[in-house]
Amino acid sequence: MLRELKKQQTRQAISDVATRLFIEHGFDEVTIAQVAAAAEVAKMTVTNHFPRKEDLVFDVHEEFAARLAARVSPPVVETAREAYFEALARHDALLGFSGRDFAHMIVSSPVLLARLREMHDEQEATLAASLASDLDGVTAKAAAAQIAGAHRLLFHEVLRRTAGGQRTATIVKALEPEARRVFELLESGLGAVA
């Protein structure tokens, strides 16, 4: 138990140091060796915790990939809508609320944007696999693609607005009607999926 706690603390410390360096100097300009030196750990320790440099930024990628699958079940549009608006009210980081500097770092790096696309793809695949226990394979994949696509669209809108310097309250106020419209569109196409 103590060993696992120490491991988590080390992982978090490395991630925090890396994020600070990436924001200050740019993701592409900072090396793993520099992160290790600043975190006062061996380079191997960094790569053991974070196999890819991008994972230092997206250290919650596993939680991100599993999130929709954990919350969405038939009726899929209804549960997806409820989960989204609950997270929006919390200004959840997994919806893209990350602070201006962090958002700007992501939108400024093609490597990070590519990793973010992969994460959204993982989220969709995980949701499809989860829905396959209640729905036939094609229906599960179609529902997952549409719900994950809606989340991707709304995530990028939050990211864009955050990177542009908009305040969280302004973003939420602008996003609420947009998200309602997106889920209305899903309802008209997926409404029959109970």
Side-chain angles (χ1 to χ4, degrees):
M1 178 97 167
L2 186 59
R3 182 180 173 143
E4 190 58 37
L5 178 62
K6 177 71 172 156
K7 198 173 173 181
Q8 274 303 109
Q9 289 172 337
T10 299
R11 178 179 165 77
Q12 189 61 54
I14 293 168
S15 177
D16 292 346
V17 166
T19 299
R20 180 181 50 78
L21 290 173
F22 295 152
I23 288 172
E24 288 174 4
H25 305 288
F27 177 78
D28 299 323
E29 305 304 317
V30 177
T31 67
I32 295 290
Q34 290 169 318
V35 170
E40 300 179 348
V41 297
K43 185 177 173 185
M44 182 68 80
T45 302
V46 175
T47 56
N48 283 341
H49 285 282
F50 302 95
R52 297 167 62 171
K53 183 179 171 186
E54 303 91 87
D55 293 338
L56 286 160
V57 174
F58 299 118
D59 60 337
V60 295
H61 68 276
E62 290 174 5
E63 182 183 347
F64 184 87
R67 178 175 201 137
L68 288 179
R71 297 297 314 272
V72 177
S73 60
V76 295
V77 176
E78 183 179 322
T79 57
R81 180 188 299 114
E82 287 172 6
Y84 184 82
F85 279 99
E86 287 171 10
L88 184 64
R90 291 191 311 271
H91 312 149
D92 196 312
L94 296 181
L95 296 186
F97 291 99
S98 57
R100 183 180 182 276
D101 292 340
F102 191 85
H104 186 267
M105 173 187 60
I106 293 170
V107 301
S108 299
S109 171
V111 173
L112 291 177
L113 289 173
R115 178 62 179 128
L116 188 55
R117 279 190 297 277
E118 289 176 5
M119 289 169 52
H120 280 287
D121 290 346
E122 291 169 21
Q123 186 177 60
E124 179 182 328
T126 304
L127 178 58
S130 173
L131 292 177
S133 64
D134 294 313
L135 308 170
D136 69 82
V138 171
T139 304
K141 288 177 183 177
Q146 292 178 55
I147 291 167
H151 273 261
R152 182 184 320 234
L153 169 79
L154 295 168
F155 182 99
H156 282 286
E157 186 62 17
V158 170
L159 191 64
R160 180 187 70 79
R161 289 174 179 271
T162 303
Q166 289 186 18
R167 300 175 129 211
T168 298
T170 303
I171 296 169
V172 170
K173 187 174 180 179
L175 220 61
E176 285 176 338
E178 292 177 1
R180 271 196 291 280
R181 179 67 182 136
V182 166
F183 285 104
E184 285 169 8
L185 291 169
L186 287 179
E187 186 72 47
S188 65
L190 291 176
V193 177

PDB file of all heavy atoms in Angstrom, residues 35-62:
ATOM      1  N   VAL A  35      12.867  16.813 -18.363  1.00  0.00           N
ATOM      2  CA  VAL A  35      11.808  16.546 -17.380  1.00  0.00           C
ATOM      3  C   VAL A  35      12.381  15.754 -16.216  1.00  0.00           C
ATOM      4  O   VAL A  35      12.145  16.084 -15.051  1.00  0.00           O
ATOM      5  CB  VAL A  35      10.624  15.788 -18.025  1.00  0.00           C
ATOM      6  CG1 VAL A  35       9.642  15.310 -16.968  1.00  0.00           C
ATOM      7  CG2 VAL A  35       9.919  16.662 -19.066  1.00  0.00           C
ATOM      8  N   ALA A  36      13.145  14.718 -16.521  1.00  0.00           N
ATOM      9  CA  ALA A  36      13.742  13.883 -15.476  1.00  0.00           C
ATOM     10  C   ALA A  36      14.642  14.712 -14.559  1.00  0.00           C
ATOM     11  O   ALA A  36      14.565  14.596 -13.331  1.00  0.00           O
ATOM     12  CB  ALA A  36      14.527  12.738 -16.104  1.00  0.00           C
ATOM     13  N   ALA A  37      15.470  15.558 -15.153  1.00  0.00           N
ATOM     14  CA  ALA A  37      16.372  16.392 -14.353  1.00  0.00           C
ATOM     15  C   ALA A  37      15.588  17.337 -13.452  1.00  0.00           C
ATOM     16  O   ALA A  37      15.904  17.484 -12.260  1.00  0.00           O
ATOM     17  CB  ALA A  37      17.311  17.176 -15.265  1.00  0.00           C
ATOM     18  N   ALA A  38      14.569  17.966 -13.998  1.00  0.00           N
ATOM     19  CA  ALA A  38      13.774  18.912 -13.208  1.00  0.00           C
ATOM     20  C   ALA A  38      12.989  18.206 -12.105  1.00  0.00           C
ATOM     21  O   ALA A  38      12.767  18.764 -11.029  1.00  0.00           O
ATOM     22  CB  ALA A  38      12.831  19.691 -14.116  1.00  0.00           C
ATOM     23  N   ALA A  39      12.565  16.977 -12.363  1.00  0.00           N
ATOM     24  CA  ALA A  39      11.813  16.204 -11.360  1.00  0.00           C
ATOM     25  C   ALA A  39      12.731  15.459 -10.394  1.00  0.00           C
ATOM     26  O   ALA A  39      12.250  14.822  -9.454  1.00  0.00           O
ATOM     27  CB  ALA A  39      10.889  15.217 -12.060  1.00  0.00           C
ATOM     28  N   GLU A  40      14.045  15.530 -10.675  1.00  0.00           N
ATOM     29  CA  GLU A  40      15.048  14.869  -9.848  1.00  0.00           C
ATOM     30  C   GLU A  40      14.834  13.356  -9.772  1.00  0.00           C
ATOM     31  O   GLU A  40      14.882  12.739  -8.705  1.00  0.00           O
ATOM     32  CB  GLU A  40      15.105  15.492  -8.453  1.00  0.00           C
ATOM     33  CG  GLU A  40      15.468  16.961  -8.483  1.00  0.00           C
ATOM     34  CD  GLU A  40      15.509  17.609  -7.106  1.00  0.00           C
ATOM     35  OE1 GLU A  40      15.046  17.008  -6.114  1.00  0.00           O
ATOM     36  OE2 GLU A  40      16.011  18.747  -7.030  1.00  0.00           O
ATOM     37  N   VAL A  41      14.577  12.773 -10.955  1.00  0.00           N
ATOM     38  CA  VAL A  41      14.455  11.323 -11.086  1.00  0.00           C
ATOM     39  C   VAL A  41      15.263  10.892 -12.309  1.00  0.00           C
ATOM     40  O   VAL A  41      15.672  11.722 -13.122  1.00  0.00           O
ATOM     41  CB  VAL A  41      12.984  10.868 -11.243  1.00  0.00           C
ATOM     42  CG1 VAL A  41      12.168  11.218 -10.007  1.00  0.00           C
ATOM     43  CG2 VAL A  41      12.350  11.447 -12.496  1.00  0.00           C
ATOM     44  N   ALA A  42      15.470   9.615 -12.436  1.00  0.00           N
ATOM     45  CA  ALA A  42      16.166   9.091 -13.605  1.00  0.00           C
ATOM     46  C   ALA A  42      15.254   9.147 -14.830  1.00  0.00           C
ATOM     47  O   ALA A  42      14.026   9.077 -14.707  1.00  0.00           O
ATOM     48  CB  ALA A  42      16.590   7.647 -13.353  1.00  0.00           C
ATOM     49  N   LYS A  43      15.850   9.283 -15.993  1.00  0.00           N
ATOM     50  CA  LYS A  43      15.080   9.291 -17.244  1.00  0.00           C
ATOM     51  C   LYS A  43      14.231   8.024 -17.355  1.00  0.00           C
ATOM     52  O   LYS A  43      13.073   8.074 -17.793  1.00  0.00           O
ATOM     53  CB  LYS A  43      16.042   9.419 -18.429  1.00  0.00           C
ATOM     54  CG  LYS A  43      15.356   9.550 -19.759  1.00  0.00           C
ATOM     55  CD  LYS A  43      16.370   9.739 -20.877  1.00  0.00           C
ATOM     56  CE  LYS A  43      15.670   9.700 -22.225  1.00  0.00           C
ATOM     57  NZ  LYS A  43      16.632   9.766 -23.333  1.00  0.00           N
ATOM     58  N   MET A  44      14.800   6.899 -16.934  1.00  0.00           N
ATOM     59  CA  MET A  44      14.075   5.625 -16.966  1.00  0.00           C
ATOM     60  C   MET A  44      12.825   5.664 -16.085  1.00  0.00           C
ATOM     61  O   MET A  44      11.801   5.073 -16.413  1.00  0.00           O
ATOM     62  CB  MET A  44      14.999   4.485 -16.528  1.00  0.00           C
ATOM     63  CG  MET A  44      14.339   3.118 -16.584  1.00  0.00           C
ATOM     64  SD  MET A  44      13.996   2.581 -18.257  1.00  0.00           S
ATOM     65  CE  MET A  44      15.607   2.002 -18.718  1.00  0.00           C
ATOM     66  N   THR A  45      12.900   6.382 -14.977  1.00  0.00           N
ATOM     67  CA  THR A  45      11.733   6.517 -14.098  1.00  0.00           C
ATOM     68  C   THR A  45      10.606   7.237 -14.831  1.00  0.00           C
ATOM     69  O   THR A  45       9.445   6.843 -14.747  1.00  0.00           O
ATOM     70  CB  THR A  45      12.101   7.274 -12.804  1.00  0.00           C
ATOM     71  OG1 THR A  45      13.146   6.565 -12.154  1.00  0.00           O
ATOM     72  CG2 THR A  45      10.904   7.416 -11.878  1.00  0.00           C
ATOM     73  N   VAL A  46      10.961   8.276 -15.569  1.00  0.00           N
ATOM     74  CA  VAL A  46       9.949   9.007 -16.348  1.00  0.00           C
ATOM     75  C   VAL A  46       9.315   8.074 -17.369  1.00  0.00           C
ATOM     76  O   VAL A  46       8.088   7.986 -17.473  1.00  0.00           O
ATOM     77  CB  VAL A  46      10.560  10.248 -17.049  1.00  0.00           C
ATOM     78  CG1 VAL A  46       9.528  10.920 -17.955  1.00  0.00           C
ATOM     79  CG2 VAL A  46      11.093  11.234 -16.022  1.00  0.00           C
ATOM     80  N   THR A  47      10.138   7.363 -18.127  1.00  0.00           N
ATOM     81  CA  THR A  47       9.585   6.511 -19.195  1.00  0.00           C
ATOM     82  C   THR A  47       8.862   5.281 -18.638  1.00  0.00           C
ATOM     83  O   THR A  47       7.970   4.750 -19.296  1.00  0.00           O
ATOM     84  CB  THR A  47      10.683   6.087 -20.190  1.00  0.00           C
ATOM     85  OG1 THR A  47      11.738   5.432 -19.491  1.00  0.00           O
ATOM     86  CG2 THR A  47      11.221   7.293 -20.944  1.00  0.00           C
ATOM     87  N   ASN A  48       9.209   4.847 -17.438  1.00  0.00           N
ATOM     88  CA  ASN A  48       8.454   3.748 -16.815  1.00  0.00           C
ATOM     89  C   ASN A  48       7.038   4.189 -16.473  1.00  0.00           C
ATOM     90  O   ASN A  48       6.094   3.413 -16.598  1.00  0.00           O
ATOM     91  CB  ASN A  48       9.159   3.243 -15.551  1.00  0.00           C
ATOM     92  CG  ASN A  48      10.352   2.371 -15.857  1.00  0.00           C
ATOM     93  OD1 ASN A  48      10.487   1.842 -16.953  1.00  0.00           O
ATOM     94  ND2 ASN A  48      11.231   2.237 -14.877  1.00  0.00           N
ATOM     95  N   HIS A  49       6.894   5.421 -16.027  1.00  0.00           N
ATOM     96  CA  HIS A  49       5.574   5.951 -15.677  1.00  0.00           C
ATOM     97  C   HIS A  49       4.818   6.450 -16.908  1.00  0.00           C
ATOM     98  O   HIS A  49       3.589   6.379 -16.952  1.00  0.00           O
ATOM     99  CB  HIS A  49       5.698   7.099 -14.665  1.00  0.00           C
ATOM    100  CG  HIS A  49       6.021   6.654 -13.289  1.00  0.00           C
ATOM    101  ND1 HIS A  49       5.082   6.118 -12.429  1.00  0.00           N
ATOM    102  CD2 HIS A  49       7.190   6.655 -12.595  1.00  0.00           C
ATOM    103  CE1 HIS A  49       5.648   5.831 -11.278  1.00  0.00           C
ATOM    104  NE2 HIS A  49       6.934   6.146 -11.349  1.00  0.00           N
ATOM    105  N   PHE A  50       5.551   6.969 -17.875  1.00  0.00           N
ATOM    106  CA  PHE A  50       4.952   7.595 -19.052  1.00  0.00           C
ATOM    107  C   PHE A  50       5.678   7.101 -20.309  1.00  0.00           C
ATOM    108  O   PHE A  50       6.684   7.686 -20.703  1.00  0.00           O
ATOM    109  CB  PHE A  50       5.055   9.121 -18.957  1.00  0.00           C
ATOM    110  CG  PHE A  50       4.407   9.694 -17.731  1.00  0.00           C
ATOM    111  CD1 PHE A  50       5.155   9.954 -16.591  1.00  0.00           C
ATOM    112  CD2 PHE A  50       3.048   9.967 -17.711  1.00  0.00           C
ATOM    113  CE1 PHE A  50       4.567  10.477 -15.448  1.00  0.00           C
ATOM    114  CE2 PHE A  50       2.453  10.484 -16.576  1.00  0.00           C
ATOM    115  CZ  PHE A  50       3.205  10.749 -15.443  1.00  0.00           C
ATOM    116  N   PRO A  51       5.199   6.030 -20.908  1.00  0.00           N
ATOM    117  CA  PRO A  51       5.892   5.449 -22.064  1.00  0.00           C
ATOM    118  C   PRO A  51       6.036   6.412 -23.246  1.00  0.00           C
ATOM    119  O   PRO A  51       6.988   6.308 -24.013  1.00  0.00           O
ATOM    120  CB  PRO A  51       5.023   4.257 -22.449  1.00  0.00           C
ATOM    121  CG  PRO A  51       4.231   3.935 -21.234  1.00  0.00           C
ATOM    122  CD  PRO A  51       4.057   5.223 -20.495  1.00  0.00           C
ATOM    123  N   ARG A  52       5.096   7.332 -23.385  1.00  0.00           N
ATOM    124  CA  ARG A  52       5.155   8.315 -24.466  1.00  0.00           C
ATOM    125  C   ARG A  52       5.242   9.712 -23.865  1.00  0.00           C
ATOM    126  O   ARG A  52       4.609   9.998 -22.845  1.00  0.00           O
ATOM    127  CB  ARG A  52       3.895   8.221 -25.336  1.00  0.00           C
ATOM    128  CG  ARG A  52       3.750   6.892 -26.036  1.00  0.00           C
ATOM    129  CD  ARG A  52       2.385   6.700 -26.633  1.00  0.00           C
ATOM    130  NE  ARG A  52       2.087   7.699 -27.643  1.00  0.00           N
ATOM    131  CZ  ARG A  52       1.017   7.639 -28.424  1.00  0.00           C
ATOM    132  NH1 ARG A  52       0.151   6.650 -28.308  1.00  0.00           N
ATOM    133  NH2 ARG A  52       0.796   8.571 -29.322  1.00  0.00           N
ATOM    134  N   LYS A  53       5.980  10.561 -24.509  1.00  0.00           N
ATOM    135  CA  LYS A  53       6.125  11.938 -24.022  1.00  0.00           C
ATOM    136  C   LYS A  53       4.762  12.611 -23.893  1.00  0.00           C
ATOM    137  O   LYS A  53       4.512  13.345 -22.926  1.00  0.00           O
ATOM    138  CB  LYS A  53       7.037  12.721 -24.981  1.00  0.00           C
ATOM    139  CG  LYS A  53       7.316  14.141 -24.550  1.00  0.00           C
ATOM    140  CD  LYS A  53       8.241  14.824 -25.547  1.00  0.00           C
ATOM    141  CE  LYS A  53       8.358  16.302 -25.273  1.00  0.00           C
ATOM    142  NZ  LYS A  53       9.140  16.998 -26.301  1.00  0.00           N
ATOM    143  N   GLU A  54       3.872  12.350 -24.835  1.00  0.00           N
ATOM    144  CA  GLU A  54       2.537  12.957 -24.809  1.00  0.00           C
ATOM    145  C   GLU A  54       1.756  12.559 -23.557  1.00  0.00           C
ATOM    146  O   GLU A  54       0.891  13.294 -23.090  1.00  0.00           O
ATOM    147  CB  GLU A  54       1.718  12.555 -26.044  1.00  0.00           C
ATOM    148  CG  GLU A  54       2.364  12.899 -27.354  1.00  0.00           C
ATOM    149  CD  GLU A  54       3.236  11.762 -27.872  1.00  0.00           C
ATOM    150  OE1 GLU A  54       2.726  10.874 -28.557  1.00  0.00           O
ATOM    151  OE2 GLU A  54       4.462  11.782 -27.578  1.00  0.00           O
ATOM    152  N   ASP A  55       2.054  11.375 -23.014  1.00  0.00           N
ATOM    153  CA  ASP A  55       1.351  10.918 -21.819  1.00  0.00           C
ATOM    154  C   ASP A  55       1.685  11.753 -20.588  1.00  0.00           C
ATOM    155  O   ASP A  55       0.948  11.729 -19.607  1.00  0.00           O
ATOM    156  CB  ASP A  55       1.644   9.442 -21.557  1.00  0.00           C
ATOM    157  CG  ASP A  55       1.061   8.541 -22.641  1.00  0.00           C
ATOM    158  OD1 ASP A  55       0.120   8.965 -23.332  1.00  0.00           O
ATOM    159  OD2 ASP A  55       1.565   7.412 -22.797  1.00  0.00           O
ATOM    160  N   LEU A  56       2.793  12.483 -20.649  1.00  0.00           N
ATOM    161  CA  LEU A  56       3.104  13.414 -19.565  1.00  0.00           C
ATOM    162  C   LEU A  56       2.081  14.539 -19.519  1.00  0.00           C
ATOM    163  O   LEU A  56       1.781  15.078 -18.449  1.00  0.00           O
ATOM    164  CB  LEU A  56       4.504  14.006 -19.750  1.00  0.00           C
ATOM    165  CG  LEU A  56       5.660  13.061 -19.434  1.00  0.00           C
ATOM    166  CD1 LEU A  56       6.936  13.542 -20.108  1.00  0.00           C
ATOM    167  CD2 LEU A  56       5.852  12.970 -17.923  1.00  0.00           C
ATOM    168  N   VAL A  57       1.540  14.894 -20.668  1.00  0.00           N
ATOM    169  CA  VAL A  57       0.506  15.939 -20.741  1.00  0.00           C
ATOM    170  C   VAL A  57      -0.853  15.329 -20.434  1.00  0.00           C
ATOM    171  O   VAL A  57      -1.634  15.855 -19.653  1.00  0.00           O
ATOM    172  CB  VAL A  57       0.502  16.601 -22.143  1.00  0.00           C
ATOM    173  CG1 VAL A  57      -0.666  17.571 -22.280  1.00  0.00           C
ATOM    174  CG2 VAL A  57       1.821  17.303 -22.397  1.00  0.00           C
ATOM    175  N   PHE A  58      -1.136  14.205 -21.086  1.00  0.00           N
ATOM    176  CA  PHE A  58      -2.436  13.550 -20.940  1.00  0.00           C
ATOM    177  C   PHE A  58      -2.313  12.381 -19.958  1.00  0.00           C
ATOM    178  O   PHE A  58      -2.544  11.232 -20.299  1.00  0.00           O
ATOM    179  CB  PHE A  58      -2.935  13.069 -22.305  1.00  0.00           C
ATOM    180  CG  PHE A  58      -3.129  14.164 -23.296  1.00  0.00           C
ATOM    181  CD1 PHE A  58      -2.397  14.200 -24.471  1.00  0.00           C
ATOM    182  CD2 PHE A  58      -4.048  15.183 -23.071  1.00  0.00           C
ATOM    183  CE1 PHE A  58      -2.583  15.211 -25.403  1.00  0.00           C
ATOM    184  CE2 PHE A  58      -4.240  16.202 -23.990  1.00  0.00           C
ATOM    185  CZ  PHE A  58      -3.507  16.214 -25.154  1.00  0.00           C
ATOM    186  N   ASP A  59      -1.964  12.698 -18.728  1.00  0.00           N
ATOM    187  CA  ASP A  59      -1.728  11.655 -17.738  1.00  0.00           C
ATOM    188  C   ASP A  59      -3.014  10.994 -17.257  1.00  0.00           C
ATOM    189  O   ASP A  59      -2.964  10.027 -16.509  1.00  0.00           O
ATOM    190  CB  ASP A  59      -0.914  12.193 -16.557  1.00  0.00           C
ATOM    191  CG  ASP A  59      -1.585  13.336 -15.830  1.00  0.00           C
ATOM    192  OD1 ASP A  59      -2.440  14.015 -16.419  1.00  0.00           O
ATOM    193  OD2 ASP A  59      -1.247  13.568 -14.655  1.00  0.00           O
ATOM    194  N   VAL A  60      -4.162  11.467 -17.707  1.00  0.00           N
ATOM    195  CA  VAL A  60      -5.447  10.863 -17.351  1.00  0.00           C
ATOM    196  C   VAL A  60      -6.070  10.160 -18.562  1.00  0.00           C
ATOM    197  O   VAL A  60      -7.276   9.961 -18.610  1.00  0.00           O
ATOM    198  CB  VAL A  60      -6.427  11.910 -16.774  1.00  0.00           C
ATOM    199  CG1 VAL A  60      -5.927  12.462 -15.458  1.00  0.00           C
ATOM    200  CG2 VAL A  60      -6.688  13.022 -17.774  1.00  0.00           C
ATOM    201  N   HIS A  61      -5.239   9.761 -19.522  1.00  0.00           N
ATOM    202  CA  HIS A  61      -5.787   9.197 -20.759  1.00  0.00           C
ATOM    203  C   HIS A  61      -6.591   7.922 -20.521  1.00  0.00           C
ATOM    204  O   HIS A  61      -7.575   7.686 -21.220  1.00  0.00           O
ATOM    205  CB  HIS A  61      -4.693   8.990 -21.816  1.00  0.00           C
ATOM    206  CG  HIS A  61      -3.702   7.936 -21.493  1.00  0.00           C
ATOM    207  ND1 HIS A  61      -2.600   8.170 -20.703  1.00  0.00           N
ATOM    208  CD2 HIS A  61      -3.646   6.628 -21.846  1.00  0.00           C
ATOM    209  CE1 HIS A  61      -1.912   7.064 -20.586  1.00  0.00           C
ATOM    210  NE2 HIS A  61      -2.513   6.112 -21.263  1.00  0.00           N
ATOM    211  N   GLU A  62      -6.225   7.115 -19.551  1.00  0.00           N
ATOM    212  CA  GLU A  62      -6.991   5.890 -19.278  1.00  0.00           C
ATOM    213  C   GLU A  62      -8.383   6.230 -18.741  1.00  0.00           C
ATOM    214  O   GLU A  62      -9.377   5.629 -19.137  1.00  0.00           O
ATOM    215  CB  GLU A  62      -6.227   4.988 -18.308  1.00  0.00           C
ATOM    216  CG  GLU A  62      -4.991   4.370 -18.931  1.00  0.00           C
ATOM    217  CD  GLU A  62      -4.143   3.601 -17.944  1.00  0.00           C
ATOM    218  OE1 GLU A  62      -4.551   3.457 -16.764  1.00  0.00           O
ATOM    219  OE2 GLU A  62      -3.062   3.144 -18.338  1.00  0.00           O
TER     220      GLU A  62
END
